[in-house]
Amino acid sequence: MKRIAFAAGWDRPPAAAGATVWLTGLPSSGKTTIALELAGRLRADGHRVEVLDGDEIRRFLSAGLGFSREDRHTNVQRIGMVAEVLARNGVITLVPVIAPYADSRDLVRLRHELGTVPYVEVHVATPVEVCSVRDVKGLYAKQAAGEISGLTGVDDPYEAPDKPDLRLETQGRTVQESAAAVHRLLVARGLLGWDADSEGWSV
């Protein structure tokens, strides 16, 4: 590996280009927890990072949308547009959003491809049996009690990706190990530029 010498006073190389990393999976699969862990590591390495949280998007950008197939599709397209704009402008954009339908995710990928913006799809493939035990937001318990319906993966469909860039099984792994697996993928794709492990810029 070659190294580039930087001018005196520089402790970081030029920033890498942006990219969108979409973490799709069932509720309580660990998407947001992994994204936040990865974001912290990337920021520590000097990258510009944003995490597009699905709940925050629902409260603001997609306020008024429900959970019909059409509304879920619209929500995913809005998030995809924001992610693509951020990534196009040099931000590594982490999107821990369920996005249950394959055609919605495919359109987001196509949007990035048309704009030549790097896009990575990570399937956080935690089984529903594990997710329902974690039940971070109490959704599985509410569905079982009949308080809510339309829960993705239970009484509403989730179309798992056929060929994600990374399939991540979180059971038996720590959050740090899961985030590290995504980080390795980004390094392998050349999306980080700065190789923090080797303290060098790969060329």
Side-chain angles (χ1 to χ4, degrees):
M1 178 184 294
K2 296 180 181 178
R3 297 175 184 272
I4 296 175
F6 299 102
W10 284 28
D11 60 358
R12 291 291 180 192
T20 292
V21 182
W22 197 294
L23 297 94
T24 175
L26 297 174
S28 293
S29 60
K31 303 179 300 296
T32 300
T33 304
I34 294 168
L36 293 174
E37 177 69 24
L38 178 59
R41 177 171 180 176
L42 293 172
R43 290 188 181 113
D45 288 342
H47 296 284
R48 298 168 63 200
V49 183
E50 288 292 341
V51 178
L52 299 183
D53 179 77
D55 291 337
E56 291 183 356
I57 295 288
R58 279 276 182 184
R59 283 196 298 270
F60 299 102
L61 184 62
S62 291
L65 290 180
F67 292 90
S68 66
R69 185 180 184 106
E70 181 179 5
D71 282 359
R72 288 177 190 264
H73 175 78
T74 299
N75 182 52
V76 168
Q77 298 315 302
R78 289 179 181 178
I79 297 171
M81 183 195 71
V82 173
E84 191 268 336
V85 170
L86 287 169
R88 184 177 359 120
N89 286 278
V91 179
I92 298 175
T93 308
L94 309 180
V95 187
V97 172
I98 295 171
Y101 304 120
D103 57 351
S104 298
R105 298 193 303 266
D106 289 345
L107 281 176
V108 172
R109 181 185 288 275
L110 178 61
R111 180 186 187 92
H112 283 71
E113 290 175 349
L114 291 175
T116 64
V117 176
Y119 180 84
V120 174
E121 182 178 75
V122 177
H123 179 203
V124 183
T126 310
V128 66
E129 296 80 11
V130 176
C131 295
S132 63
V133 172
R134 293 177 179 174
D135 203 11
V136 176
K137 300 176 183 177
L139 297 177
Y140 291 94
K142 289 180 179 179
Q143 192 278 335
E147 297 175 17
I148 62 171
S149 61
L151 180 60
T152 299
V154 180
D155 58 353
D156 209 62
Y158 175 73
E159 299 169 2
D162 291 329
K163 296 180 180 179
D165 298 289
L166 175 65
R167 194 178 308 278
L168 190 59
E169 297 180 356
T170 62
Q171 61 273 31
R173 281 183 170 177
T174 66
V175 173
Q176 292 75 19
E177 289 169 340
S178 295
V182 182
H183 188 275
R184 285 193 297 272
L185 175 63
L186 300 182
V187 171
R189 293 286 176 89
L191 297 177
L192 300 184
W194 175 251
D195 186 345
D197 292 329
S198 65
E199 295 299 326
W201 179 266
S202 303
V203 297

